[in-house]
Amino acid sequence: MKVPTLRVQWELQLPAYTTATAVADPSQICDLGWRLWQHQNLNPLSKGFDPPHQSDTRTIYIANRFPLNGLYTPQKFIDNRIISSKYTVWNFVPKNLFEQFRRVANFYFLIIFLVQLMIDTPTSPITSGLPLFFVITVTAIKQGYEDWLRHISDNEVNAAPVYVVRSGGLVKTRSRNIRVGDIVRVAKDEVFPADLVLLSSDRLDGSCHITTASLDGETNLKTHVAVPETAVLQTVANLDTLIAVIECQQPEADLYRFMGRMIITQQMEEIVRPLGPESLLLRGARLKNTKEIFGVAVYTGMETKMALNYKSKSQKRSAVEKSMNTFLIIYLIILISEAIISTILKYTWQAEEKWDEPWYNQKTEHQRNSSKVEYVFTDKTGTLTENEMQFRECSINGVKYQEMNGRLVSEGPTPDSLEGNSSYFSSISHLATSSSFRTSPENDTELIKEHDLFFKAVSLCHTVQISSVQTDGIGDGPWQSNFASSQLEYYASSPDEKALVEAAARFGIVFIGNSEETMEVKTLGKLERYKLLHILEFDSDRRRMSVIVQAPSGEKLLFAKGAESSILPQCIGGEIEKTRIHVDEFALKGLRTLCMAYRRFTSKEYEEIDRRLFEARTALQQREEKLADVFQFIEKDLILLGATAVEDKLQDKVRETIEALRMAGIKVWVLTGDKHETAVSVSLSCGHFHRTMNILELINQKSDSECAEKLRQLARRITEDHVIQHGLVVDGTSLSLALREHEKLFMEVCRNCSAVLCCRMAPLQKAKVIRLIKISPEKPITLAVGDGANDVSMIQEAHVGIGIMGKEGRQAARNSDYAIARFKFLSKLLFVHGHFYYIRIATLVQYFFYKNVCFITPQFLYQFYCLFSQQMFGNWTFGTLVFTVMVITVTAKMALETHFWTWINHLVTWGSILFYFIFSLFYGGILWPFLGSQNMYFVFIELLSSGSAWFAIILMVVTCLFLDIVKKVFDRQLHPTNIEKAQLTETNSSIKCLDSMCCFSEGETACASVGRMLERVIGRCSPTHVSRSWSASDPFYTNDRSILTLSTMDSSTC
């Protein structure tokens, strides 16, 4: 059916043609066309003049055939280079140093180093400068290497070979050389190098199929179509004759929105064609099931929708680092206080004449948040699911069936069955011989017709395409379940459709392809051709789709498919109540359900429908509203055929992982680009939503006021409903409105919900949601997990980014902080490695401040001895003794805080003390010619030769650590952690159950605990004395590390 077009003659932009401008009726021109009509006919200076680049639209001359008159000023567009790197050769050093010194710790040590350089201090600048230089250098090398890898990846993408139509031929060039307006050829399985408007394909109707897995996570095929005037231009020679202009909006990040028009010059006339999202091929998408296409580049490089949805990389600051910054400030205050006190007392000492002594002023020498996560944001497709649909069950005329081993099994006896045996059949032909269905010839025929019609509806009501068709022998005899995959390869925009068509093929109704306006199916080996008259496309308001076909007998049928809430109210016949019950049962199992119905048209009814559809589809104003009215008029008085149940296979242990996160107090949000129904179904099946949960919806909001009112209603419902848990579903459009002016209200609703599901989300919207949570007053720690390029923005925005190495490439893993193989490993990453790492880093930070306090405090106390003359241990022997005690003490303290020993721990711990002694002996035992003075010469050797010095060293080390040792001993005996209990079990193998069972009872006094400790020391505690076993009610302490043992102890072992 050919759609009429609006033809408007104008002054062509080439000198060879001069025609008068015909004034069209503005009431019949669409909004964009009306603006152009005003621009061309009301402004005499506008002929051949493009609006400036900062306007809301851009004008693109296809194949860059610009007008030759002198009034045209071409717009400037960026090139097609993609830049994901952060640095260049010229800005690496200043930019990297700036980012590193933004860290308080680095800046603090830089200040200390500069102070030591500028003034005479008792310590050498090397002590601060060398470690700082090492840290800065290593970090710069690491970040430079990572950015170098990004440069390599960018160069590979930008240097990819592409074919462009130029000067009447096909020219091979690099992707970075594509300009806006170039006609680009893309072959099957290639990635689109820029945002292209489809001109033609190898199909006569100008359609093609693409997959947008790297953009929105959906691996299903989507159909895009070219305008009819360019669809016939399938060769380079024909495209070279095309004279056309595209006017479209400026680039924006919304993947699902595109508005423009194409003005095509044919035979001295201009044909105006509207362009929408169905005409735009996005960069990053891949061409499938189509030999080749030609498209014109409208957005290039960093202005493509894919690039606009990428968030620029920024440095992340962990909670540990932020807390360490606070400690640094406190530590700095302590140092400043000590310096002020020393300075004041120094000048006080100097003012006293009786203390007038010479001064002695000789110069001498990335943390993670993974254990504190409060919010987890996860993608759905490929992260929670395998994105593999499998047909499981169906309901036909009130009888429920289940597929088992390629055969349908009824779950109960049919109404007329005398025996209660289940019925089995693997194809429609088996129905006639099935004992459970054998009642009477009339009933047999009716039953076969019902099942035949049901599976024909499944095979015809879809938008599935076939890659390769081999029909010889298909359907001849019983259908084998493994035959379809070897003969036919189905592609669909929805995985549900693909699973249903494959299921129908297994049961004898085989869809074998379509050609132009004909759909072909084989029913038990018999080829049948149905003429496709109309497709009533799916939309989120109707929540159903339909096809109108003409059967081989000439009868015109409508087959409808959709959610039960949209199909059942339109039905006037069939087993409605039984099917409703079956649908609820399917949903309780977490299956995705669809209902099937049909309607027969008389010739008069179809003529009326065809006329109304034609009028609605050719309307230039309010087309969507008119189509919705016509669809509602057609899809009524339906006869219900049944329902289908499809399972979206979840990844292994997804439900258990989400439940573990919820039990740990972590809120889980699912952010997906999928449709509302699909997302809700998967959330139910994976345990993100519970059946007992009150599901609230914020979808299809059209205005700010409407959105605000809906949010207030949801807030009231949460307050008034006596339900423990609520779940929230919000779509991308409504979310944009909510985040615009109602952030506080939206956050209030979200905080009161146990689970939140955001569907139809653009990649940049995912990052904005995470940003909103991050800047909320609670400042929670966020984690994002995804597997595709569309998840990169949210992975980079979250405090912790997790990339899953799945089917959609490695882009998410490359841009993440951690990479895992499956979603189930998230629990171990958080609860085991995150927990352990946080303990380690917290211990390290505390030890860092402990060491520095130990280094500064002796110097501060010595100032009282030297009357604050800023001397650093004027007696070198005394100073060496103090520092020797300090080194041994802080190293022994580190050994006390070590909970798991390896050879590396032993080497570093005891090697540090050994290195100190060897270096001091070596440094003080030789006269170095390049040193001006050696105050340390022979001091250390003399010190170690004194027995009193050794006694003093041992006494002071033991005194400093005595309280730490006593505390640890008593804590281990009186309040042991679970891992310490397990260690006792291993060391006391002669006692099968923990000897501490008689020593760790609850509710007893400390004296009793001490008494049992003494009993155990002298060996009097034995299993025979045990009157209480260890149970799960034993207290769990915050410093407990038993989670890493991964082996639980229960009371049954005792």
Side-chain angles (χ1 to χ4, degrees):
M1 179 179 62
K2 185 175 181 181
V3 179
T5 59
L6 175 66
R7 296 177 179 265
V8 182
Q9 292 195 5
W10 69 332
E11 182 185 55
L12 194 61
Q13 308 293 346
L14 294 176
Y17 303 97
T18 54
T19 62
T21 302
V23 179
D25 182 5
S27 64
Q28 297 183 8
I29 306 179
C30 62
D31 181 60
L32 188 58
W34 168 238
R35 291 201 300 269
L36 183 66
W37 182 85
Q38 288 179 313
H39 177 70
Q40 292 176 339
N41 295 281
L42 302 183
N43 184 0
L45 299 179
S46 65
K47 301 292 183 179
F49 176 76
D50 278 339
H53 186 63
Q54 59 266 27
S55 67
D56 293 335
T57 62
R58 59 170 51 187
T59 302
I60 302 164
Y61 291 85
I62 295 181
N64 291 306
R65 294 189 178 90
F66 301 114
L68 300 180
N69 56 33
L71 298 177
Y72 175 72
T73 302
Q75 293 181 348
K76 293 183 179 180
F77 306 110
I78 65 173
D79 57 29
N80 199 41
R81 287 182 300 168
I82 287 290
I83 302 174
S84 64
S85 55
K86 192 174 183 180
Y87 306 106
T88 65
V89 176
W90 310 110
N91 69 6
F92 174 73
V93 174
K95 190 173 182 179
N96 186 265
L97 289 179
F98 172 76
E99 291 182 349
Q100 292 207 54
F101 285 117
R102 287 173 59 195
R103 298 179 183 271
V104 176
N106 292 343
F107 185 73
Y108 165 78
F109 285 108
L110 176 64
I111 295 300
I112 296 296
F113 174 67
L114 294 177
V115 169
Q116 289 177 326
L117 284 177
M118 291 185 293
I119 65 174
D120 195 10
T121 61
T123 57
S124 171
I126 297 177
T127 59
S128 298
L130 190 60
L132 177 64
F133 176 77
F134 176 78
V135 170
I136 294 297
T137 303
V138 171
T139 305
I141 292 174
K142 171 183 171 292
Q143 294 181 352
Y145 174 72
E146 292 176 348
D147 202 66
W148 177 65
L149 295 179
R150 285 192 287 268
H151 272 283
I152 293 177
S153 177
D154 290 345
N155 291 336
E156 290 178 355
V157 173
N158 295 329
V162 295
Y163 288 91
V164 179
V165 178
R166 288 177 182 167
S167 302
L170 205 58
V171 179
K172 185 176 181 180
T173 184
R174 302 292 183 182
S175 176
R176 59 174 171 262
N177 298 328
I178 294 177
R179 300 171 298 174
V180 172
D182 281 344
I183 299 177
V184 182
R185 192 205 75 169
V186 180
K188 181 180 179 182
D189 294 327
E190 290 183 353
V191 176
F192 299 114
D195 287 353
L196 311 175
V197 168
L198 180 60
L199 295 178
S200 64
S201 69
D202 62 326
R203 294 190 174 95
L204 293 177
D205 58 357
S207 64
C208 71
H209 303 284
I210 68 171
T211 176
T212 57
S214 62
L215 296 174
D216 56 13
E218 297 185 6
T219 56
N220 316 313
L221 291 187
K222 296 178 174 62
T223 303
H224 288 248
V225 293
V227 298
E229 285 71 24
T230 63
V232 296
L233 307 177
Q234 296 180 311
T235 64
V236 174
N238 290 336
L239 287 169
D240 193 49
T241 64
L242 176 63
I243 301 174
V245 179
I246 292 177
E247 280 200 354
C248 61
Q249 61 189 132
Q250 293 290 359
E252 66 174 11
D254 192 344
L255 296 177
Y256 310 107
R257 186 172 183 270
F258 176 73
M259 185 176 66
R261 70 170 188 174
M262 184 184 297
I263 305 170
I264 308 161
T265 302
Q266 286 186 354
Q267 298 178 356
M268 309 288 290
E269 293 181 339
E270 279 66 49
I271 304 173
V272 180
R273 283 289 191 179
L275 299 175
E278 71 282 352
S279 302
L280 186 65
L281 307 173
L282 300 180
R283 177 171 190 154
R286 189 179 296 273
L287 184 65
K288 288 287 187 180
N289 202 22
T290 307
K291 183 179 179 181
E292 66 176 11
I293 64 98
F294 289 94
V296 57
V298 291
Y299 305 132
T300 54
M302 300 306 293
E303 289 184 342
T304 59
K305 290 182 180 290
M306 181 189 74
L308 293 175
N309 274 279
Y310 276 170
K311 183 181 180 294
S312 60
K313 292 185 70 65
S314 59
Q315 280 195 330
K316 298 181 180 180
R317 297 287 186 267
S318 68
V320 174
E321 182 180 347
K322 293 176 182 177
S323 63
M324 191 173 70
N325 292 341
T326 304
F327 283 119
L328 276 172
I329 295 174
I330 296 173
Y331 181 60
L332 184 60
I333 293 173
I334 295 174
L335 290 180
I336 293 174
S337 301
E338 291 181 350
I340 292 174
I341 293 173
S342 299
T343 303
I344 293 174
L345 294 177
K346 166 195 168 183
Y347 285 105
T348 304
W349 171 81
Q350 184 182 0
E352 297 289 338
E353 295 182 359
K354 61 181 180 179
W355 291 346
D356 189 10
E357 299 177 4
W359 294 358
Y360 188 88
N361 190 16
Q362 177 66 35
K363 185 186 295 185
T364 64
E365 66 180 280
H366 199 21
Q367 296 95 354
R368 299 301 179 197
N369 293 301
S370 53
S371 68
K372 303 181 69 177
V373 170
E374 300 173 56
Y375 283 83
V376 168
F377 299 88
T378 175
D379 181 37
K380 180 191 73 67
T381 306
T383 303
L384 300 179
T385 69
E386 301 283 5
N387 201 31
E388 296 178 0
M389 303 297 176
Q390 296 180 350
F391 176 85
R392 293 301 186 194
E393 300 182 52
C394 65
S395 173
I396 306 175
N397 195 32
V399 180
K400 189 163 61 172
Y401 299 94
Q402 181 178 2
E403 183 180 12
M404 296 180 63
N405 299 323
R407 306 171 68 188
L408 281 183
V409 182
S410 66
E411 291 195 356
T414 58
D416 299 321
S417 177
L418 299 177
E419 300 178 5
N421 299 328
S422 296
S423 59
Y424 297 83
F425 57 95
S426 60
S427 71
I428 300 298
S429 62
H430 294 152
L431 287 175
T433 59
S434 176
S435 60
S436 299
F437 292 105
R438 191 180 300 119
T439 55
S440 65
E442 294 80 6
N443 290 339
D444 286 345
T445 304
E446 186 65 27
L447 184 63
I448 294 174
K449 286 183 178 180
E450 292 170 355
H451 289 74
D452 179 81
L453 195 58
F454 175 83
F455 284 109
K456 281 184 178 179
V458 171
S459 297
L460 295 172
C461 187
H462 58 74
T463 56
V464 173
Q465 301 291 327
I466 296 179
S467 175
S468 58
V469 180
Q470 300 177 6
T471 59
D472 295 340
I474 296 181
D476 298 332
W479 182 257
Q480 302 298 326
S481 60
N482 62 351
F483 190 71
S485 59
S486 62
Q487 295 292 328
L488 301 174
E489 187 176 2
Y490 293 116
Y491 291 96
S493 58
S494 168
D496 302 73
E497 290 187 335
K498 181 174 181 288
L500 293 176
V501 172
E502 289 175 345
R506 290 195 293 272
F507 306 130
I509 308 294
V510 187
F511 171 67
I512 59 174
N514 52 4
S515 57
E516 297 182 357
E517 297 181 351
T518 302
M519 303 183 71
E520 298 179 349
V521 297
K522 272 193 174 184
T523 305
L524 305 179
K526 180 182 178 182
L527 181 63
E528 298 179 358
R529 289 185 172 87
Y530 291 81
K531 185 177 181 181
L532 180 60
L533 302 176
H534 294 284
I535 297 178
L536 281 57
E537 297 83 2
F538 176 89
D539 62 67
S540 57
D541 295 328
R542 289 165 44 243
R543 301 176 68 180
R544 60 180 178 263
M545 75 158 290
S546 303
V547 295
I548 301 177
V549 297
Q550 181 176 334
S553 61
E555 186 179 25
K556 294 178 176 61
L557 299 171
L558 167 78
F559 290 116
K561 173 180 66 178
E564 72 279 1
S565 59
S566 63
I567 293 292
L568 297 183
Q570 307 298 326
C571 293
I572 60 172
E575 297 289 347
I576 299 177
E577 292 305 320
K578 290 183 179 180
T579 304
R580 193 191 306 273
I581 294 173
H582 291 165
V583 168
D584 293 338
E585 292 175 356
F586 296 154
L588 287 174
K589 298 178 183 179
L591 303 178
R592 299 156 62 101
T593 60
L594 290 172
C595 289
M596 310 295 302
Y598 79 102
R599 177 185 176 185
R600 288 185 171 90
F601 295 121
T602 63
S603 300
K604 187 176 180 180
E605 288 175 336
Y606 177 74
E607 290 176 1
E608 173 68 11
I609 290 172
D610 187 58
R611 182 185 60 80
R612 296 185 62 169
L613 275 174
F614 178 81
E615 292 176 354
R617 282 175 169 160
T618 56
L620 294 177
Q621 294 181 343
Q622 298 180 337
R623 180 183 297 177
E624 293 182 355
E625 291 80 359
K626 292 179 179 179
L627 280 174
D629 293 339
V630 176
F631 288 172
Q632 188 66 28
F633 171 76
I634 297 173
E635 296 170 330
K636 65 179 183 179
D637 300 336
L638 304 178
I639 306 299
L640 183 63
L641 290 171
T644 61
V646 177
E647 179 185 18
D648 186 0
K649 187 178 180 182
L650 293 174
Q651 289 190 13
D652 187 29
K653 296 186 178 179
V654 166
R655 180 183 288 271
E656 292 84 347
T657 302
I658 292 179
E659 187 61 30
L661 294 173
R662 184 179 287 113
M663 292 295 292
I666 298 174
K667 292 188 176 181
V668 181
W669 288 35
V670 176
L671 311 180
T672 177
D674 276 358
K675 299 174 183 177
H676 166 256
E677 295 80 8
T678 305
V680 171
S681 177
V682 174
S683 288
L684 289 169
S685 62
C686 72
H688 180 235
F689 284 165
H690 290 296
R691 294 290 171 183
T692 57
M693 191 179 286
N694 184 19
I695 307 298
L696 310 175
E697 291 189 346
L698 180 67
I699 58 176
N700 298 328
Q701 303 301 303
K702 305 297 184 183
S703 63
D704 286 334
S705 58
E706 183 183 350
C707 181
E709 179 60 29
K710 184 65 175 180
L711 284 171
R712 284 189 283 267
Q713 292 178 6
L714 296 179
R716 286 195 298 269
R717 283 190 59 184
I718 293 175
T719 305
E720 297 170 358
D721 290 352
H722 301 287
V723 179
I724 298 177
Q725 291 184 329
H726 296 84
L728 176 66
V729 182
V730 56
D731 61 6
T733 305
S734 303
L735 181 67
S736 298
L737 295 174
L739 298 183
R740 186 181 302 170
E741 297 181 0
H742 316 293
E743 286 187 2
K744 292 184 178 179
L745 187 57
F746 177 71
M747 283 302 301
E748 179 185 351
V749 173
C750 292
R751 276 195 293 266
N752 292 318
C753 293
S754 303
V756 178
L757 169 64
C758 300
C759 54
R760 302 306 290 174
M761 297 280 287
L764 207 57
Q765 280 184 310
K766 296 181 180 181
K768 288 181 180 178
V769 169
I770 297 178
R771 178 67 179 171
L772 176 66
I773 300 298
K774 284 174 61 178
I775 64 176
S776 62
E778 296 82 4
K779 296 293 189 295
I781 302 300
T782 59
L783 179 147
V785 54
D787 69 319
N790 60 308
D791 303 317
V792 169
S793 297
M794 74 170 185
I795 287 175
Q796 293 177 346
E797 180 64 49
H799 292 96
V800 182
I802 310 294
I804 293 181
M805 297 175 290
K807 300 178 181 178
E808 299 178 21
R810 296 289 187 269
Q811 287 175 293
R814 290 196 203 105
N815 289 274
S816 64
D817 301 310
Y818 300 96
I820 57 179
R822 310 286 282 179
F823 182 80
K824 66 179 180 180
F825 297 132
L826 184 62
S827 59
K828 190 171 183 179
L829 178 66
L830 290 179
F831 303 145
V832 179
H833 299 289
H835 175 80
F836 218 34
Y837 192 88
Y838 183 74
I839 291 173
R840 289 169 178 159
I841 199 65
T843 303
L844 174 64
V845 171
Q846 295 179 66
Y847 179 77
F848 168 80
F849 289 104
Y850 170 84
K851 173 182 67 66
N852 283 276
V853 169
C854 290
F855 179 76
I856 293 297
T857 303
Q859 300 179 49
F860 177 71
L861 296 176
Y862 183 72
Q863 298 303 307
F864 290 93
Y865 176 77
C866 69
L867 296 179
F868 301 93
S869 60
Q870 293 186 335
Q871 298 180 27
M872 182 179 174
F873 305 121
N875 187 308
W876 285 100
T877 303
F878 176 69
T880 303
L881 176 65
V882 172
F883 275 100
T884 302
V885 171
M886 185 190 69
V887 169
I888 297 176
T889 300
V890 297
T891 307
K893 175 66 175 177
M894 181 176 66
L896 286 175
E897 295 299 325
T898 301
H899 299 276
F900 185 77
W901 285 91
T902 64
W903 68 270
I904 299 178
N905 296 83
H906 286 290
L907 177 64
V908 172
T909 303
W910 314 122
S912 298
I913 300 176
L914 184 62
F915 176 78
Y916 170 76
F917 279 90
I918 295 174
F919 178 80
S920 299
L921 288 170
F922 188 68
Y923 175 76
I926 301 175
L927 287 173
W928 302 97
F930 52 85
L931 295 178
S933 62
Q934 283 190 249
N935 295 318
M936 280 289 295
Y937 179 68
F938 219 72
V939 172
F940 201 70
I941 297 174
E942 183 180 354
L943 178 68
L944 296 184
S945 62
S946 171
S948 59
W950 281 105
F951 177 76
I953 292 173
I954 295 173
L955 179 62
M956 284 188 285
V957 170
V958 171
T959 303
C960 291
L961 298 177
F962 178 74
L963 292 179
D964 295 277
I965 296 173
V966 171
K967 181 179 182 299
K968 281 195 169 292
V969 170
F970 274 85
D971 281 345
R972 185 177 180 88
Q973 303 300 329
L974 302 180
H975 303 292
T977 63
N978 290 341
I979 193 171
E980 290 171 348
K981 295 177 184 180
Q983 289 173 347
L984 287 172
T985 303
E986 295 176 1
T987 57
N988 297 277
S989 57
S990 59
I991 300 179
K992 301 302 182 184
C993 185
L994 267 169
D995 62 343
S996 56
M997 295 306 171
C998 61
C999 305
F1000 301 133
S1001 299
E1002 295 179 356
E1004 294 189 3
T1005 64
C1007 294
S1009 300
V1010 173
R1012 283 194 308 277
M1013 179 189 71
L1014 296 177
E1015 285 184 350
R1016 180 153 54 128
V1017 170
I1018 62 178
R1020 291 177 55 189
C1021 183
S1022 66
T1024 58
H1025 299 148
V1026 177
S1027 59
R1028 172 186 175 273
S1029 63
W1030 179 34
S1031 68
S1033 63
D1034 285 337
F1036 183 87
Y1037 296 95
T1038 56
N1039 64 338
D1040 200 329
R1041 295 160 177 80
S1042 60
I1043 192 169
L1044 291 176
T1045 62
L1046 297 180
S1047 57
T1048 57
M1049 292 182 60
D1050 53 40
S1051 56
S1052 62
T1053 61
C1054 299

